[in-house]
Every structure is written in C-alpha cells, then in structure tokens.
Amino acid sequence: MSKAAMAIESVHGTWRNRWTFVLAATGSAVGLGNIWKFPYIAGENGGGAFVIFYLLCIALIGIPIMVAEVVLGRHGRHSPINTMRLLAQESELHPSWVIVGWMGALAGFLILTFYSVIAGWSLDYIFKMASGTFSHATSEQAGKEFTELLANPLKLTIWHTIFMVLAVVVIARGVNKGLSKAIRILMPMLFVLLFILFGFSLSTGAFGQAWDFLFAVDFSKLKLGGMLIALGHAFFTLSLGLGAIMAYGAYMPKSASIGRTVLIVAGLDTLVAILAGLIIFSLVFANGLEAAEGPGLMFVTLPLAFGNMVMGQFLGMLFFVLVTFAAWSSAISLLEPIVAWLVESLKIRRMFASILIGALAWFIGLGTVFSFNIWSDMTIWDKTVFDMLDFLTANIMLPLGGVLIAIFAGWKMNENIIKHELKLSRFSFKLWRALVRVVAPVGVVLIFINTMWPDFFPWLFELN
Ligand code: PHE
C-alpha cells in the first residue's frame, strides 16, 4: 500500500495568514467577470430570472465546490496537477484523476488568452478617461469611441501585450512578493469607488428601473441557453473548476477555517457583481441605452456617466485603473496552476516558466484581438474565435472540471482527511457533502442536457 507523504508546506511558499488568502482568492474571483461580464450577460439574458438563477448556482453549486477546491489544494500542497495525482495515490484511486488537473490548467490558459485582450481595453480606457475624451460626450460619441477601438487590431495588440507582460512579471516574482501588497491597497479602493458610483447611480433617477431589471423575476424570460450561461458564469466569477483556487489553497496556512473563508470570498464576489450591475443599468436606463448591448456595455455606459459628472475625468480614470487591477489579480491566478506545475515537475525556473506560458497565451490571444475586426466574419456556429473560447471554457470546461472536483471530494477521497481539513460542525459537514455529492453534479448535468437537447424535458420545452 503506497501512501504519498503529504507535504506540510508548499515549495512555492505559504500565505502569511488567512487574510492574505482571502485577499488573494478575492483578487482572483473579483475581476472582469464581475464588472464587465456579469452586467452584460444579465442584460442579454433578460435580467431578473437570470440573476436569481445565477445566485442559486453560486449558493448551491459554486460555494460547495470552492470549499472542495480549497480542501484539495491545502491537503495536496502542490500545483493542481500534482495535487490531483498525489491525492489519488493517497486515497488509492485510479491515476487518471490527474486529468482534472490537466484540463483545468488548459482552461486557465485559454481563458488567459482572451482575458488579457479585454483587460487591454480597460488599459486603453484609463488614458481615454484621463485625457477627457468623454467630457460631455453623448451616447453616440461614447459608442463610437468603443467601436473605433475594436476596429484597430494594432492598438488592441499593444494593450494586450502590455497586460500580458504585467501578469507575467508578477507570476515570475512569486505570488507573495509585490502582489499581496498591491491588492491590500487596491481591493479596498475598488470597493470605495464602487460605493461612490453606487451613490451616483442612486441620483440618476433610473435606479428603481435597474433594481427591477435585476431582481424582478419573470421566469418566462429565462431561456434554456441562459441557464447554462448563468451556471458557467457562477464558475467563472468564483474562479472555479480549473484549479486556480486549488493552487491558492495549497499556500493556505493549516490553521485557517476553510468554510468561513470561502463564504467571505464568495460574498464579496457577489456583492461586487450586484453593485456593478445596479450601477451600469441605472446609467443604461437613464441614458436610454439598450440593456442587451453585449460586451461593450461597460465601455460605453460608464464613460458616458463619468463624462457628465463632477470630477468624472479623475474618477473615471481611477475606475479603469481599478478594473485593470482587478483583472490583473485574476489573470495571475490563471497562470499560477500551470506555472507552478512547470516549476515542480520540470524543475525549470519560475521566471522562465512564466515567460514561456505568457508568450504562448499572448500568441493565441491574437485570435481574440482579430475576432473584433479582421476576423469578425470568420465564425463557426455564429461564434467568433473569442465567442468560441469564452463558450468552451466558461460553459463547458469549468462546469465539467468543477463537477469532477465535487465528485472527487464528495465520493472518492478519504472522508477522514476531508473532515480533518474542514473541521465543520456535523450539520455543516453533512450539508456540504450533500451539495457536492448530489446537488452540484446533478444540477450541472441537468443544465447541460437541457441546453444540448432542448426538448429533453418536455415540460421545460415552452421556455425556449
Ligand atoms: N474570476 C475571474 C473574474 O471574474 C476570472 C477567473 C476565472 C480568474 C477563472 C481565475 C480563474 O474575472
């Protein structure tokens, strides 16, 4: 009987305390997904019912899986790929469980390729805001600025390159140096600014409409495809299913309570998404814009608002600085699993591993850059390269990875080890186990079936 000896500490280091983990995991979770993606997909999918469905996915599927990822990471103390291998050995399971780690690393890599391009838009907007481009702009002008940016592949490539370099620099230095210091200041600033903007949105006169749009539930508006998008986004926004949280869990001190920590991270993530949604839709409705605007939503409505508010030039610039930082702290967590694996397994230097992966991701990212201009007509099933990557990762790979992690933690891994890591009360443990064993896998499978074969459940047929 071969039992892998589990390391007490990771070779990559340990967070100084539980709060550094909270900060880093929140930094990973809060990103473009919350501020850019959530409002626009809520807009495209009709609001209310979509949002409630999304919140259910967070509570019943996302949070239990996040707990599972942290448990696996903290017990395995390695990169997700090696953690899965070691844990499978320890519980005497089939070695093919390592595939979960591999698929996650690949998903993280693919997300990084387009994440960097979108974060590049945000970089561009820092300068646009600072130079007063949007002062007293009309909604047509704001729309035109954005369309022109997307039509310019060279500009997009330059910003994509700069963002990728930023992500690589931090990962090359190791997560503890620099980054945790930076986000300790920046994350609170992001919250303060969101609250200021929230105050502003209350004064637009359209706050009530925005609230109703996000929370008035009318299930006839929720299409089947919307359910899969809500589910996928629950994984994307909490950084689940690809090992990012597992990698960070590996650096978590033994004494920290996992359950409470995860609730804080998920709560903050949800708060940011809802605030961003309320702010953006107040502005959308106050300015007579379309809720279903698509990916340009944040880049058109917010500059418009800043351009017409006191100190807007400065606050607008600051806002995009913070969006960039939020994206930055997420991007590094996309790189960490695969870089940590290269360092552990091939014994190459962290610096070299980071540059190698960053360069590859940069190159594939050009496909996303061109999706918005020269390749915008090159579509398969009506999807550009960017749409494809987004769909494949968020809606397929992350839910699949997440469910495999749930099954591993819920059914396969030695229960005593989990109990020991989790230290939950009997009730909480049973609740968590029921969620990862049954609710998460069944929920994901049902939503998949529903989307792939829309007439599988005849009573739901009407919805489409
Ligand atoms: N959670 C991040 C966001 O919402 C994106 C992300 C996904 C980061 C997966 C890491 C892993 O923007």
Side-chain angles (χ1 to χ4, degrees):
M1 191 168 78
S2 88
K3 284 230 164 120
M6 289 296 155
I8 312 271
E9 293 225 338
S10 156
V11 292
H12 308 285
T14 304
W15 305 114
R16 224 168 308 140
N17 49 40
R18 161 170 171 229
W19 288 105
T20 317
F21 173 83
V22 170
L23 215 62
T26 308
S28 167
V30 172
L32 295 172
N34 307 61
I35 309 171
W36 162 72
K37 195 172 175 190
F38 171 72
Y40 98 72
I41 55 175
E44 284 183 333
N45 290 285
F50 174 87
V51 175
I52 300 300
F53 191 76
Y54 157 79
L55 292 175
L56 274 178
C57 291
I58 294 273
L60 298 179
I61 301 180
I63 291 176
I65 292 185
M66 195 183 234
V67 168
E69 277 207 31
V70 180
V71 169
L72 300 193
R74 189 168 75 176
H75 190 66
R77 290 278 188 231
H78 284 77
S79 69
I81 296 172
N82 284 330
T83 285
M84 288 309 296
R85 190 173 50 75
L86 290 169
L87 295 184
Q89 261 171 33
E90 186 190 45
S91 297
E92 292 169 20
L93 303 168
H94 198 273
S96 58
W97 277 102
V98 72
I99 293 173
V100 176
W102 279 110
M103 191 178 70
L106 178 66
F109 173 81
L110 291 177
I111 293 175
L112 181 66
T113 67
F114 67 81
Y115 206 80
S116 165
V117 177
I118 316 285
W121 303 352
S122 173
L123 276 170
D124 185 60
Y125 269 65
I126 297 176
F127 295 91
K128 275 198 173 39
M129 293 299 330
S131 62
T133 309
F134 295 100
S135 292
H136 308 292
T138 61
S139 48
E140 287 77 44
Q141 284 163 334
K144 196 165 145 261
E145 279 296 325
F146 184 63
T147 322
E148 279 176 8
L149 171 67
L150 293 196
N152 189 337
L154 181 65
K155 213 169 177 185
L156 293 182
T157 305
I158 293 173
W159 290 124
H160 164 51
T161 313
I162 294 176
F163 185 82
M164 193 63 87
V165 170
L166 287 176
V168 166
V169 166
V170 174
I171 282 295
R173 301 194 62 202
V175 190
N176 250 331
K177 271 190 228 152
L179 190 89
S180 53
K181 254 185 241 154
I183 46 181
R184 199 167 305 156
I185 304 168
L186 288 157
M187 294 309 283
M189 267 171 78
L190 178 70
F191 275 92
V192 170
L193 209 76
L194 275 177
F195 279 111
I196 294 179
L197 283 174
F198 182 68
F200 178 77
S201 72
L202 288 172
S203 73
T204 55
F207 184 80
Q209 225 179 319
W211 182 275
D212 286 346
F213 182 74
L214 285 179
F215 297 115
V217 182
D218 171 0
F219 273 102
S220 69
K221 283 202 193 134
L222 182 61
K223 304 281 180 260
L224 293 180
M227 290 182 174
L228 185 64
I229 294 176
L231 173 78
H233 190 63
F235 283 93
F236 186 84
T237 191
L238 294 178
S239 304
L240 297 180
L242 54 74
I245 295 295
M246 204 189 288
Y248 280 8
Y251 317 144
M252 191 178 185
K254 268 284 175 224
S255 56
S257 142
I258 294 179
R260 234 173 299 151
T261 309
V262 164
L263 286 180
I264 296 173
V265 174
L268 287 174
D269 185 77
T270 307
L271 181 67
V272 173
I274 298 292
L275 282 179
L278 287 170
I279 294 165
I280 288 180
F281 285 113
S282 299
L283 297 169
V284 166
F285 295 133
N287 289 291
L289 299 170
E290 280 298 312
E293 177 79 25
L297 194 64
M298 174 179 99
F299 293 93
V300 178
T301 54
L302 282 182
L304 185 64
F306 284 123
N308 294 288
M309 92 195 227
V310 197
M311 289 200 358
Q313 197 165 332
F314 175 69
L315 289 178
M317 180 196 75
L318 197 60
F319 178 79
F320 282 100
V321 169
L322 294 170
V323 171
T324 306
F325 273 102
W328 192 6
S329 57
S330 299
I332 58 165
S333 71
L334 290 163
L335 265 168
E336 181 61 19
I338 188 150
V339 168
W341 176 78
L342 280 170
V343 172
E344 282 166 12
S345 300
L346 305 187
K347 306 270 180 286
I348 58 178
R349 287 180 44 216
R350 196 170 239 282
M351 161 102 96
F352 181 67
S354 316
I355 294 175
L356 183 75
I357 300 296
L360 266 177
W362 174 85
F363 181 71
I364 296 179
L366 294 178
T368 292
V369 165
F370 300 148
S371 296
F372 296 99
N373 36 71
I374 51 181
W375 287 358
S376 61
D377 293 331
M378 214 181 75
T379 54
I380 307 174
W381 297 311
D382 225 22
K383 285 183 161 46
T384 60
V385 175
F386 160 67
D387 296 329
M388 277 287 201
L389 284 172
D390 181 25
F391 182 81
L392 178 71
T393 52
N395 298 348
I396 311 276
M397 292 174 90
L398 301 190
L400 187 64
V403 162
L404 290 174
I405 290 169
I407 293 175
F408 187 85
W411 293 98
K412 295 291 178 181
M413 206 172 138
N414 183 326
E415 191 177 304
N416 290 329
I417 297 177
I418 304 224
K419 278 195 175 139
H420 182 72
E421 288 288 344
L422 267 179
K423 298 203 176 62
L424 289 176
S425 68
R426 263 174 70 115
F427 173 76
S428 307
F429 181 76
K430 284 216 162 116
L431 176 67
W432 170 78
R433 208 175 53 176
L435 291 172
V436 283
R437 279 192 159 184
V438 184
V439 178
V442 172
V444 171
V445 169
L446 287 185
I447 296 168
F448 264 135
I449 295 180
N450 236 349
T451 314
M452 301 300 163
W453 298 280
D455 42 2
F456 197 85
F457 300 112
W459 48 276
L460 275 173
F461 196 35
E462 306 260 297
L463 282 181
N464 231 359

